[in-house]
Amino acid sequence: MYDVAEVRKDFPILGREVYGKPLVYLDNAATVQKPRQVVEAMSEEYYNVNANVHRGVHFLSQQATELHEAARETVRRFLNARSTAEIVFTRGTTESINLVAACFGEAFMREGDEVIVSEMEHHANIVSWQLLQARKGIRLRVIPVDDRGQLRMDEYERLFNERTRIVSVTHVSNVLGTVNPVRRIVDVAHAHGVPVLIDGAQSTPHFAVDVQSLGCDFFAFSGHKVYGPTGIGVLYGKEEWLDRLPPYMGGGEMIGHVSFEHTTFADLPLKFEAGTPDYVASTGLARALDYVSALGMDAIQAHERDLTRYALERLRQIPGMRILGEADDHDAVVSFLVGNIHHLDMGTLLDRLGIAVRTGHHCAEPLMQRFGVEGTVRASFALYNTHAEVDALAEGITRVAKMF
Ligand code: PMP
């Protein structure tokens, strides 16, 4: 049995009050709260181990290096990658996507070549490619989204041509909660000889991900969304692809030998990790992945799906409610508008009741345009949320709506 009351004890912040009301934290798609175990693992490393990694002969440096590389192994296991050579530490999903756009673009794309993205992408997976568009004259092709918030797979297949070089789509929409059929997306792309990058920022916190069974060539996620610290994320890449990409940044750690005439680069994955890595954050991330794995990703998913179903059921009963995103496969995000109440007003008034939601375009302006709205209110759930919190949300919305 999943014991949410027991789980909540690991998250001290959930006991806080705001404006004299118990905090109801429903902004988990932006970032989640951290369990004690993660913060303690990081303090412990700062207090007892801290030393720069990879270069030191001394005891502490070796111990810090061992922790950092053990964290890489934990990430490998979490994603079921074949090897730790395929796990690159970055600062987050945004940096991981930028790395692929810059390095893949450099090596494999020229003017007129195309990348396929979707209408539901986060700006991180749009603007990174637009920078390449400006530099190299590549083109973005866009998979449309239907009225229920699902990718138009028929249209997707029609976007391929001899200039298609890469597909880059999100696993789960941070606005609609739609879970995209990644395996099918990958199969279609591979049938055209095209690799696929998956933005896993919103999938890794919610269900088990196996990069080998998804078959994707690259996969990006952020530590802070999966109960780890800020400032660290991961790029998974198949070894055969990472080997063929040029380095992203130059500096220490990523080199073999340097002279003014000729520099060689380190082997994978260090080739992509210039400079001192956040080796304390990698320990925190590993502890977070251990934490969710111990609870069980399937148990977390079952709990959150149950909450999401309950939230949709309760919210649909509110007069004037419009929910954006009614996909069959719907994850722990609910976006909505009520009557003509501005999303910012709704968010601000819910906040006064202690309920933290997000409002605005959620870094997905093209998707807002698709649905003809300027923004939405978004409630997103984590492993520690409860049915009582969903009740508080529904009652809060009803109260705010009555004020208008
Ligand atoms: N992609 C998606 C789908 C996201 O939800 C987010 C975070 N809102 C990002 C990318 C960017 O993540 P980060 O800011 O951690 O790099």
Side-chain angles (χ1 to χ4, degrees):
M1 262 307 279
Y2 188 81
D3 188 347
V4 68
E6 207 46 46
V7 167
R8 287 176 73 85
K9 292 182 188 159
D10 294 330
F11 296 82
I13 204 170
L14 298 178
R16 265 204 72 168
E17 292 195 338
V18 292
Y19 311 112
K21 310 241 168 24
L23 171 70
V24 176
Y25 186 79
L26 300 177
D27 191 19
N28 295 290
T31 199
V32 294
Q33 303 303 341
K34 316 305 172 196
R36 212 182 278 284
Q37 291 85 337
V38 167
V39 180
E40 283 170 2
M42 294 173 72
S43 310
E44 159 67 20
E45 184 163 354
Y46 273 127
Y47 287 144
N48 291 308
V49 185
N50 182 53
N52 207 333
V53 292
H54 293 144
R55 309 181 261 256
V57 291
H58 62 80
F59 186 88
L60 289 188
S61 176
Q62 288 182 20
Q63 204 174 4
T65 304
E66 274 165 28
L67 281 171
H68 186 60
E69 292 307 321
R72 201 188 301 277
E73 167 59 18
T74 302
V75 174
R76 184 206 65 74
R77 219 178 319 119
F78 184 72
L79 295 178
N80 192 33
R82 267 173 309 191
S83 138
T84 50
E86 300 183 319
I87 304 298
V88 177
F89 284 121
T90 63
R91 285 188 303 127
T93 307
T94 302
E95 186 174 277
S96 298
I97 296 173
N98 274 273
L99 190 162
V100 175
C103 300
F104 185 91
E106 171 70 24
F108 297 109
M109 296 181 87
R110 54 194 175 83
E111 190 174 351
D113 283 348
E114 297 179 355
V115 53
I116 296 177
V117 297
S118 87
E119 208 168 18
M120 66 167 80
E121 296 313 313
H122 186 279
H123 294 162
N125 199 23
I126 298 173
V127 184
S128 315
W129 300 103
Q130 285 174 333
L131 294 177
L132 198 58
Q133 183 173 37
R135 269 204 303 275
K136 289 199 120 182
I138 67 145
R139 294 181 62 205
L140 277 76
R141 305 297 303 274
V142 183
I143 313 165
V145 167
D146 70 16
D147 290 341
R148 300 179 66 210
Q150 304 178 118
L151 292 183
R152 291 276 309 273
M153 291 299 284
D154 50 337
E155 294 285 338
Y156 167 59
E157 300 200 20
R158 279 200 277 275
L159 290 176
F160 284 87
N161 62 47
E162 71 286 352
R163 302 306 300 269
T164 312
R165 292 291 171 266
I166 189 164
V167 173
S168 188
V169 293
T170 194
H171 201 168
V172 175
S173 164
N174 64 315
V175 178
L176 307 167
T178 310
V179 183
N180 288 321
V182 167
R183 182 69 239 190
R184 267 174 64 210
I185 289 169
V186 168
D187 286 345
V188 170
H190 285 180
H192 289 86
V194 170
V196 179
L197 163 63
I198 298 299
D199 172 350
Q202 297 295 347
S203 59
T204 39
H206 302 296
F207 52 85
V209 168
D210 179 331
V211 288
Q212 291 191 66
S213 80
L214 291 177
C216 57
D217 303 276
F218 302 100
F219 186 94
F221 75 94
S222 296
H224 69 97
K225 292 188 199 276
V226 63
Y227 307 94
T230 46
I232 190 155
V234 170
L235 173 67
Y236 156 83
K238 281 184 183 160
E239 211 167 335
E240 55 266 37
W241 277 115
L242 291 182
D243 261 335
R244 293 157 71 197
L245 299 189
Y248 184 45
M249 293 192 282
E253 304 265 344
M254 54 76 74
I255 48 90
H257 292 284
V258 177
S259 72
F260 282 110
E261 290 71 38
H262 183 68
T263 289
T264 59
F265 302 123
D267 291 336
L268 293 176
L270 297 187
K271 179 172 97 176
F272 294 105
E273 295 181 0
T276 300
D278 196 338
Y279 51 83
V280 177
S282 61
T283 297
L285 174 60
R287 193 63 198 85
L289 299 182
D290 286 342
Y291 182 87
V292 291
S293 301
L295 286 177
M297 290 311 296
D298 292 347
I300 292 169
Q301 183 179 25
H303 172 70
E304 293 177 346
R305 288 282 173 123
D306 190 44
L307 275 182
T308 308
R309 262 193 304 275
Y310 181 60
L312 286 168
E313 195 181 296
R314 290 245 16 203
L315 264 53
R316 280 195 191 106
Q317 289 164 9
I318 296 171
M321 175 61 66
R322 175 184 176 196
I323 289 167
L324 284 91
E326 302 265 7
D328 295 329
D329 198 355
H330 193 136
D331 214 78
V333 178
V334 179
S335 263
F336 62 91
L337 288 165
V338 183
N340 52 13
I341 304 172
H342 196 272
H343 51 86
L344 194 58
D345 292 334
M346 177 61 80
T348 308
L349 291 166
L350 286 175
D351 177 53
R352 302 306 293 196
L353 302 172
I355 303 166
V357 292
R358 185 143 295 241
T359 65
H361 55 58
H362 315 296
C363 298
E365 285 195 54
L367 186 65
M368 297 295 111
Q369 287 150 21
R370 158 68 181 82
F371 281 95
V373 297
E374 185 202 302
T376 72
V377 186
R378 180 184 75 185
S380 49
F381 307 110
L383 56 82
Y384 42 65
N385 288 122
T386 65
H387 287 71
E389 289 180 312
V390 172
D391 290 335
L393 173 69
E395 283 152 25
I397 297 168
T398 306
R399 226 174 115 180
V400 172
K402 280 198 182 125
M403 290 165 65
F404 278 82

